[in-house]
Amino acid sequence: MNRIRSCVTPEGRFIYGIHKPHYTVTSMRQETAVTTLGHLPDSQPIENHRNYPAADVQVENSDWIFEIPNPFPFKGVTYIDKEWADASARDYSRIRLPLPKPVSLTGVLAKNGVEPALLAKMPEPVQLALATCSTDPADLMQLAELSCIIEKNGKGEATGLGYQQAPNGVIRPVIHNHLLFEAVANNPHLPDSYKIAMVIRPGAQGGSEIVGEIPRKTGTHVYEYLRRNSYIAGGHYAANMAEDAIRYAIADLTLADMDGLRHLYYQRTYVRIATELGLVLPETETKLTEQTLEDLRHAILTALSQKDLSTTATLWGWNFGFDYAPSKYRLHASHQQVHQQYAMIPDTVEGYSGNLQDPDFTLPAFGCGDMIADVMQRYRGVYGRDFFVDYLAAITNNVRMDERTDLEKSLIVWQDENAMLFVPKAQTSQWELQLITLEGKNELPAGNILECDARTRKSLNTGILKAQQALAAIGARMVTSIEYPKRIGNRGEPGQPLLYAFLPRLPESPGAFSEAQLRFINGHYPEDFAAVLRNKLAELGD
């Protein structure tokens, strides 16, 4: 069968496989060692007889497993255990994470007549665990002062850090324990004055220049930092919430914040492209108005009809949430506070083989949106149809895999005229969401932020915020968000929409050999997950 490994078909429906296991296992065991595992309260022993079958093992009526090829073949396949998913369909409360319980070592010590100073004598793994898990500011302030030198005013508020000058003249803050410093500084329960002094105030984390800003008079306050020494060559930027707009939780994030964070991304990208095209930039060194931004976008689109770019793709991402294991494994982002990162990617990069000076060839520079374009091209070659026309038809016409008609079947979580937030049929994270731009009445969907008009940009801002809010409402605390953009200009694949993926990290899904093979395991039907998130957004209101 000449098919693409995708759950999307030209008929505009989803397909999948079902494993219905029944098999025989030949017993090749040599010894039987029945032993007592323990006892019931009445002293009846519990033994391990069942681990030593007397004959070959007959496996019948094992759990059915749905195997759903991802719509995009490069993202692998999702497996859904029917028994688990049926349980979640019966009880939506299973699809959530519990809130963390309050933790206070200072309180425990006080109740037992022990001085709080004992915390300083505890092993480092215990301190590190407390730094990430404690909800008591008293614990966290003490840990902060163990990790570095904190300067304080007469009210006990942190005002700054202690610094020292190295023999080579470099001045750096005095940090005794970097891991402890990072862990405690990223705990939402640390008093704001400590957060500001340790990581939020400009300069606290180094000399990265502030090259853009959403001023505080707009109802939010965001800085744009240049990250000079980055693996992303040619300009890597980070938009961070400022010291007077601290956001450590999605519940604190407003649409004004999201508009500000995203505005800096749009603005920086448009200015960079305009500069490469030789266009005259607006006469301002401050935030561009929406109208000025839109005028610049139109000027760029006009210029692109006559000139090609060497930098043809955008890169955008956001890691929300922070955690360290006591074993010193970082479990997610580099910091908790809300921030977004963005850059641009060239069309090609010079290629070398065995030397550092003279390029021998050119290589196409990688952009993740190119993988979407590859799928579209292959799909068109095999079926003679547009992939996203069929994909959106499959989403619109979706039916449940369990054949139940008494439960909701929609995969759509939120939608307006420009964008749609939905649950993919094959989730690569157990709680994955995607956001996609939609076709207008007379035009193709926007494929990158240069093709997004002001209304579409606003829809994307809103959709990203709603995705984060819905996930946070069911307990997600670590979410990676990425953009799959179409190439800018002539290199772009016609009809490719702009796509965002939101990938929560769950406590019992660390990413092991299955995920390394692009095999993703789920315990719910995607339709039930979509229903849960719609309910949560309805509870949150507008």
Coordinates of all heavy atoms in Angstrom, one line a residue, residues 434-484:
Q434 N -2.0 21.9 20.2 CA -1.4 22.6 19.0 C -2.3 23.8 18.7 O -3.5 23.7 18.9 CB -1.3 21.6 17.8 CG -0.2 20.6 18.0 CD 0.0 19.7 16.8 OE1 -0.7 19.9 15.8 NE2 0.8 18.7 17.0
L435 N -1.7 24.8 18.2 CA -2.4 26.0 17.7 C -2.0 26.2 16.2 O -0.8 26.2 15.9 CB -1.9 27.2 18.5 CG -2.5 28.6 18.2 CD1 -4.0 28.7 18.5 CD2 -1.7 29.7 18.9
I436 N -3.0 26.5 15.4 CA -2.8 26.6 14.0 C -3.5 27.8 13.4 O -4.6 28.1 13.9 CB -3.2 25.3 13.3 CG1 -2.7 25.2 11.8 CG2 -4.7 25.1 13.3 CD1 -3.0 23.9 11.1
T437 N -2.9 28.4 12.4 CA -3.6 29.5 11.7 C -4.6 29.0 10.7 O -4.4 27.9 10.2 CB -2.6 30.5 11.0 OG1 -1.7 29.7 10.2 CG2 -1.8 31.2 12.0
L438 N -5.6 29.7 10.5 CA -6.7 29.2 9.6 C -6.8 30.1 8.3 O -6.3 31.2 8.3 CB -8.0 29.3 10.3 CG -8.2 28.5 11.6 CD1 -9.5 28.7 12.2 CD2 -8.0 27.0 11.3
E439 N -7.3 29.5 7.3 CA -7.5 30.2 6.0 C -8.5 31.4 6.2 O -9.5 31.2 6.9 CB -8.1 29.3 4.9 CG -7.1 28.3 4.4 CD -7.6 27.5 3.2 OE1 -8.7 27.8 2.8 OE2 -6.9 26.7 2.7
G440 N -8.2 32.5 5.5 CA -9.2 33.6 5.5 C -10.2 33.3 4.3 O -10.1 32.3 3.7
K441 N -11.1 34.2 4.1 CA -12.1 34.0 3.1 C -11.5 33.9 1.7 O -12.0 33.2 0.8 CB -13.1 35.2 3.1 CG -14.0 35.1 4.4 CD -15.0 36.2 4.4 CE -15.9 36.2 5.6 NZ -16.9 37.3 5.7
N442 N -10.5 34.7 1.5 CA -9.9 34.8 0.1 C -8.4 34.5 0.0 O -7.8 34.9 -0.9 CB -10.2 36.1 -0.5 CG -11.7 36.4 -0.6 OD1 -12.5 35.6 -1.1 ND2 -12.1 37.6 -0.1
E443 N -7.9 33.9 1.1 CA -6.4 33.8 1.1 C -6.0 32.6 1.9 O -6.8 32.0 2.7 CB -5.7 35.0 1.6 CG -6.2 35.4 3.0 CD -5.7 36.7 3.5 OE1 -5.3 37.6 2.6 OE2 -5.6 37.0 4.7
L444 N -4.7 32.1 1.7 CA -4.2 31.0 2.4 C -3.9 31.4 3.8 O -3.8 32.6 4.1 CB -2.9 30.5 1.7 CG -3.1 30.0 0.3 CD1 -1.7 29.7 -0.4 CD2 -3.9 28.7 0.3
P445 N -3.7 30.4 4.7 CA -3.4 30.7 6.1 C -2.0 31.3 6.2 O -1.1 31.1 5.4 CB -3.5 29.3 6.8 CG -3.2 28.3 5.7 CD -3.8 28.9 4.5
A446 N -1.9 32.2 7.2 CA -0.6 32.8 7.5 C 0.4 31.7 7.9 O 0.1 30.8 8.7 CB -0.7 33.8 8.6
G447 N 1.6 31.6 7.2 CA 2.5 30.6 7.5 C 3.7 31.0 8.4 O 4.4 30.1 8.9
N448 N 3.9 32.2 8.6 CA 4.9 32.7 9.5 C 4.5 34.1 10.0 O 3.4 34.6 9.5 CB 6.3 32.8 8.8 CG 6.2 33.6 7.5 OD1 5.7 34.7 7.4 ND2 6.6 33.0 6.4
I449 N 5.2 34.7 10.9 CA 4.7 35.9 11.6 C 4.7 37.1 10.6 O 4.0 38.1 10.8 CB 5.4 36.2 12.9 CG1 6.9 36.4 12.6 CG2 5.2 35.1 13.9 CD1 7.6 37.0 13.8
L450 N 5.5 37.0 9.5 CA 5.5 38.1 8.6 C 4.2 38.1 7.8 O 3.8 39.1 7.3 CB 6.7 37.9 7.6 CG 7.0 39.1 6.7 CD1 7.3 40.4 7.5 CD2 8.1 38.8 5.7
E451 N 3.6 36.9 7.6 CA 2.3 36.8 6.9 C 1.1 37.1 7.8 O 0.0 37.1 7.4 CB 2.2 35.4 6.3 CG 3.2 35.2 5.2 CD 3.1 33.8 4.5 OE1 2.3 33.0 5.0 OE2 3.9 33.5 3.6
C452 N 1.3 37.3 9.1 CA 0.3 37.5 10.1 C -0.1 39.0 10.2 O 0.8 39.8 10.5 CB 0.6 37.0 11.5 SG 0.8 35.2 11.6
D453 N -1.3 39.3 9.8 CA -1.7 40.7 10.0 C -2.0 41.0 11.5 O -1.9 40.1 12.3 CB -2.9 41.1 9.2 CG -4.2 40.2 9.5 OD1 -4.2 39.6 10.5 OD2 -5.1 40.2 8.6
A454 N -2.4 42.2 11.9 CA -2.6 42.5 13.3 C -3.6 41.7 14.0 O -3.4 41.2 15.1 CB -3.0 44.0 13.4
R455 N -4.7 41.3 13.3 CA -5.7 40.5 13.9 C -5.3 39.1 14.1 O -5.6 38.5 15.1 CB -7.0 40.5 13.0 CG -7.7 41.9 13.0 CD -9.0 41.8 12.2 NE -8.7 41.4 10.8 CZ -9.6 41.2 9.9 NH1 -10.9 41.3 10.2 NH2 -9.3 40.9 8.6
T456 N -4.5 38.6 13.1 CA -4.0 37.2 13.3 C -2.9 37.1 14.4 O -2.9 36.2 15.2 CB -3.4 36.7 12.0 OG1 -4.4 36.8 11.0 CG2 -2.9 35.3 12.1
R457 N -2.1 38.2 14.5 CA -1.1 38.2 15.6 C -1.9 38.2 17.0 O -1.4 37.5 17.9 CB -0.2 39.4 15.5 CG 0.7 39.4 14.2 CD 1.8 40.4 14.3 NE 1.3 41.8 14.4 CZ 1.1 42.6 13.4 NH1 1.2 42.1 12.1 NH2 0.7 43.9 13.5
K458 N -2.9 39.0 17.0 CA -3.7 39.0 18.3 C -4.3 37.7 18.6 O -4.3 37.2 19.7 CB -4.8 40.1 18.2 CG -5.6 40.3 19.4 CD -4.8 41.0 20.5 CE -5.6 41.4 21.7 NZ -4.8 42.2 22.7
S459 N -4.8 37.0 17.6 CA -5.4 35.6 17.8 C -4.3 34.7 18.3 O -4.6 33.8 19.1 CB -6.0 35.1 16.4 OG -7.1 35.9 16.1
L460 N -3.1 34.7 17.7 CA -2.0 33.9 18.2 C -1.7 34.1 19.6 O -1.5 33.2 20.4 CB -0.8 34.0 17.3 CG -0.9 33.5 15.9 CD1 0.3 33.8 15.1 CD2 -1.2 32.0 15.8
N461 N -1.6 35.4 20.0 CA -1.3 35.8 21.4 C -2.3 35.2 22.3 O -2.0 34.6 23.3 CB -1.3 37.3 21.5 CG -0.2 38.0 20.7 OD1 0.6 37.3 20.0 ND2 -0.2 39.3 20.7
T462 N -3.6 35.3 21.9 CA -4.7 34.8 22.7 C -4.7 33.3 22.8 O -4.8 32.7 23.9 CB -6.0 35.3 22.2 OG1 -6.1 36.7 22.1 CG2 -7.2 34.8 23.0
G463 N -4.5 32.7 21.7 CA -4.4 31.2 21.7 C -3.3 30.6 22.5 O -3.5 29.6 23.2
I464 N -2.1 31.3 22.4 CA -1.0 30.8 23.3 C -1.3 30.9 24.7 O -1.0 30.0 25.5 CB 0.3 31.6 22.9 CG1 0.7 31.2 21.5 CG2 1.4 31.3 23.9 CD1 1.8 32.1 20.9
L465 N -1.9 32.1 25.1 CA -2.2 32.3 26.5 C -3.3 31.3 27.0 O -3.2 30.7 28.0 CB -2.8 33.7 26.7 CG -3.2 34.0 28.1 CD1 -2.1 33.9 29.1 CD2 -3.8 35.4 28.2
K466 N -4.3 31.0 26.1 CA -5.4 30.1 26.5 C -4.8 28.6 26.6 O -5.2 27.9 27.5 CB -6.5 30.1 25.5 CG -7.4 31.4 25.7 CD -8.6 31.3 24.8 CE -9.5 32.6 25.0 NZ -10.1 32.6 26.4
A467 N -3.9 28.3 25.8 CA -3.2 27.0 25.9 C -2.5 26.8 27.2 O -2.7 25.8 27.9 CB -2.2 26.8 24.7
Q468 N -1.8 27.8 27.6 CA -1.0 27.8 28.9 C -2.0 27.8 30.1 O -1.8 27.1 31.0 CB -0.1 29.0 29.0 CG 1.0 29.0 27.9 CD 2.0 27.9 27.9 OE1 2.1 27.2 28.9 NE2 2.8 27.8 26.9
Q469 N -3.1 28.6 30.0 CA -4.0 28.7 31.1 C -4.8 27.3 31.2 O -5.0 26.9 32.4 CB -5.0 29.8 30.8 CG -4.4 31.2 30.9 CD -5.4 32.3 30.6 OE1 -6.3 32.1 29.7 NE2 -5.3 33.4 31.2
A470 N -5.2 26.7 30.1 CA -5.9 25.5 30.2 C -5.0 24.4 30.8 O -5.5 23.6 31.7 CB -6.4 25.1 28.8
L471 N -3.8 24.3 30.4 CA -2.9 23.3 30.9 C -2.6 23.5 32.4 O -2.6 22.6 33.2 CB -1.6 23.3 30.1 CG -1.8 22.8 28.6 CD1 -0.5 23.0 27.8 CD2 -2.1 21.3 28.6
A472 N -2.4 24.8 32.7 CA -2.1 25.1 34.1 C -3.3 24.7 35.0 O -3.1 24.3 36.2 CB -1.7 26.5 34.3
A473 N -4.5 24.9 34.5 CA -5.7 24.6 35.2 C -5.8 23.2 35.6 O -6.6 22.9 36.6 CB -6.9 25.1 34.5
I474 N -5.2 22.3 34.9 CA -5.3 20.9 35.3 C -4.0 20.4 35.9 O -3.7 19.2 36.1 CB -5.7 19.9 34.1 CG1 -4.7 20.1 32.9 CG2 -7.1 20.2 33.7 CD1 -4.9 19.0 31.8
G475 N -3.1 21.4 36.3 CA -1.9 21.0 37.1 C -0.6 21.0 36.3 O 0.4 20.7 37.0
A476 N -0.5 21.3 35.1 CA 0.7 21.3 34.3 C 1.6 22.4 34.9 O 1.2 23.6 35.1 CB 0.5 21.5 32.9
R477 N 2.9 22.1 35.3 CA 3.8 23.0 35.8 C 5.0 23.2 35.0 O 5.8 24.1 35.3 CB 4.2 22.6 37.3 CG 3.0 22.6 38.2 CD 3.4 22.4 39.6 NE 3.8 21.0 39.9 CZ 2.9 20.1 40.2 NH1 1.6 20.3 40.2 NH2 3.3 18.8 40.5
M478 N 5.2 22.4 34.0 CA 6.4 22.5 33.1 C 5.9 22.3 31.6 O 5.4 21.2 31.3 CB 7.5 21.5 33.4 CG 8.1 21.8 34.8 SD 9.5 20.7 35.2 CE 8.6 19.2 35.7
V479 N 6.0 23.3 30.8 CA 5.5 23.2 29.4 C 6.5 23.8 28.5 O 7.0 24.9 28.7 CB 4.1 24.0 29.3 CG1 3.6 23.8 27.9 CG2 3.1 23.5 30.3
T480 N 6.8 23.0 27.5 CA 7.7 23.5 26.4 C 6.8 23.9 25.2 O 5.9 23.1 24.8 CB 8.7 22.5 25.9 OG1 9.6 22.2 27.0 CG2 9.5 22.9 24.7
S481 N 7.0 25.1 24.7 CA 6.2 25.6 23.5 C 7.1 25.9 22.4 O 8.1 26.6 22.6 CB 5.4 26.8 23.9 OG 4.6 26.6 25.1
I482 N 6.8 25.4 21.2 CA 7.6 25.7 20.0 C 6.8 26.1 18.8 O 5.6 25.8 18.7 CB 8.5 24.5 19.7 CG1 7.6 23.2 19.4 CG2 9.5 24.2 20.7 CD1 8.4 22.0 19.0
E483 N 7.5 26.8 17.9 CA 6.8 27.2 16.7 C 7.4 26.5 15.5 O 8.6 26.2 15.4 CB 7.1 28.7 16.5 CG 6.6 29.3 15.2 CD 7.1 30.8 15.0 OE1 8.3 30.9 14.6 OE2 6.4 31.7 15.4
Y484 N 6.4 26.0 14.6 CA 6.8 25.4 13.3 C 6.4 26.4 12.2 O 5.3 26.4 11.7 CB 6.1 24.1 13.1 CG 6.5 23.0 14.0 CD1 5.8 22.7 15.2 CD2 7.6 22.1 13.6 CE1 6.2 21.7 16.0 CE2 7.9 21.1 14.5 CZ 7.2 20.9 15.6 OH 7.6 19.8 16.5

